[in-house]
Amino acid sequence: MESYWNLDPIVAQLSDIRRAWRAGQERHAEYGAEGFPSRGDLAKIMQSLCGALFPLRLGPNFVRLHNEDAFVAQTLHTGLHRLYGQIRLELIYAMADAPQTAVDARAASIIKSFAEQLPSLRILLDTDVEAAFRGDPAARSVDEVLICYPSLLAIIHHRLAHLLHELGAPLVARIISEVAHSKTGIDIHPGAKIGESFFIDHGTGVVIGETAIVGRHVRLYQGVTLGARSFPADEDGTLLKDQPRHPIIEDDVVIYSGATILGRVIIGRGSEIGGNVWLTKSVPAGSHVSQAREQNSIATIAQTTAPHRRARTSAAG
């Protein structure tokens, strides 16, 4: 078979291309070519942590009431040690000029803070489970929600990833979010801030951007996008990072399927955004936004005479 081609020049060309790419991207590079955190390992770690948080429902089938504490202790012991290793790989390059002892100490500090916040994170997740049960008439129990709903899997991963993102492990956090994305079709950036009692119904195609802020008791349906409208760049044309560019969704908002909300806009408390709405402007509290019935109509906001004075808005597509 080898007589049909000569691999030496192909290998040499690929080597030259890689070197040229790395040289050209050096100023954008954050991590080296070796020792990259492993997506496969992090997927297994997250599966174990989900089991530690909800041992009787997301843990292995041998877990019972009499042995769940022992299971949680062993699972956390193993999972946190493995997570420490993944964070350490990230920090080796993020702290390239620091001594090894500093890298080890920083990784240990992140893991310590992460572990200490797991109890409060479990309490927060309980509000998400309850919100799903209350918000979906098809849900027969909170156990069904935990076992069956992809949105809960995505939210658990997001809560864990967001904690790591805030503690200083953004790459590991991003990998975790993409693990959930591939499993559920729900794309939540770990930088997004999401309040308690969050529920995504169905969920496929939901996108929540890095700088989005979502309040308490918010409900989204499938296909909702909380995205950016524009991307500021520097003089060289490089996109500026960490700029606030995604929506702020205040408490008690419902956003129906297919709605797209772009830019740093504010959706006021208690608002309802209808299906397939395209929205790039802020709306006040209590607004009802729906698609305009006539093509090319202009969005209008009119106060109704209802006691709660909900604003009704038509949004042109």
Side-chain angles (χ1 to χ4, degrees), residues 27-257:
R27 72 189 183 96
H28 303 306
E30 187 175 1
Y31 308 102
E34 300 177 8
F36 210 70
S38 166
R39 178 171 176 146
D41 288 348
L42 283 167
K44 294 176 183 177
I45 292 167
M46 286 302 106
Q47 184 176 2
S48 70
L49 290 179
C50 287
L53 287 167
F54 297 95
L56 293 180
R57 296 296 171 261
L58 301 183
N61 59 11
F62 64 79
V63 180
R64 298 291 186 271
L65 284 173
H66 72 273
N67 65 359
E68 67 173 339
D69 286 343
F71 165 76
V72 170
Q74 180 59 47
T75 301
L76 287 179
H77 178 79
T78 302
L80 292 173
H81 273 82
R82 291 175 177 171
L83 184 58
Y84 165 84
Q86 296 299 309
I87 293 172
R88 186 175 175 277
L89 288 174
E90 174 176 351
L91 294 179
I92 286 173
Y93 296 102
M95 301 171 59
D97 298 328
Q100 196 64 57
T101 53
V103 172
D104 294 342
R106 179 64 180 143
S109 175
I110 291 174
I111 282 293
K112 180 176 183 295
S113 297
F114 177 80
E116 290 174 346
Q117 294 185 56
L118 288 177
S120 59
L121 188 141
R122 164 62 204 250
I123 293 172
L124 180 60
L125 287 169
D126 285 345
T127 71
D128 300 323
V129 175
E130 292 170 357
F133 177 66
R134 292 194 309 267
D136 186 359
R140 295 176 296 178
S141 69
V142 291
D143 292 329
E144 179 184 359
V145 167
L146 260 177
I147 296 170
C148 300
Y149 284 37
S151 61
L152 260 295
L153 182 64
I155 292 169
I156 293 170
H157 279 65
H158 172 73
R159 301 287 192 198
L160 292 166
H162 179 71
L163 180 53
L164 289 169
H165 186 275
E166 296 292 289
L167 290 172
L171 177 62
V172 167
R174 185 63 188 271
I175 294 172
I176 292 169
S177 71
E178 291 305 322
V179 167
H181 182 196
S182 66
K183 289 182 177 181
T184 66
I186 298 169
D187 183 1
I188 310 176
H189 193 285
K193 298 178 180 178
I194 299 177
E196 65 182 59
S197 300
F198 180 56
F199 176 41
I200 304 175
D201 202 351
H202 303 292
T204 304
V206 165
V207 178
I208 302 177
E210 176 187 16
T211 63
I213 299 174
V214 178
R216 301 163 63 248
H217 305 286
V218 169
R219 184 169 68 209
L220 310 181
Y221 286 79
Q222 68 272 19
V224 167
T225 297
L226 306 181
R229 186 179 182 184
S230 60
F231 305 95
D234 62 18
E235 295 178 355
D236 297 328
T238 301
L239 296 181
L240 298 175
K241 309 297 182 179
D242 302 321
Q243 300 295 306
R245 60 193 184 279
H246 298 100
I248 297 173
I249 311 299
E250 295 186 342
D251 298 347
D252 305 307
V253 169
V254 179
I255 306 176
Y256 286 97
S257 59

Side-chain angles (χ1 to χ4, degrees), residues 236-306:
D236 297 328
T238 301
L239 296 181
L240 298 175
K241 309 297 182 179
D242 302 321
Q243 300 295 306
R245 60 193 184 279
H246 298 100
I248 297 173
I249 311 299
E250 295 186 342
D251 298 347
D252 305 307
V253 169
V254 179
I255 306 176
Y256 286 97
S257 59
T260 299
I261 304 173
L262 301 180
R264 196 60 162 184
V265 300
I266 299 174
I267 306 302
R269 180 173 183 170
S271 293
E272 184 178 288
I273 309 300
N276 298 316
V277 164
W278 181 279
L279 192 59
T280 58
K281 295 182 179 180
S282 297
V283 298
S287 295
H288 178 93
V289 184
S290 59
Q291 281 191 314
R293 293 185 178 181
E294 297 181 6
Q295 190 175 7
N296 299 324
S297 63
I298 299 175
T300 60
I301 298 178
Q303 295 291 336
T304 67
T305 57

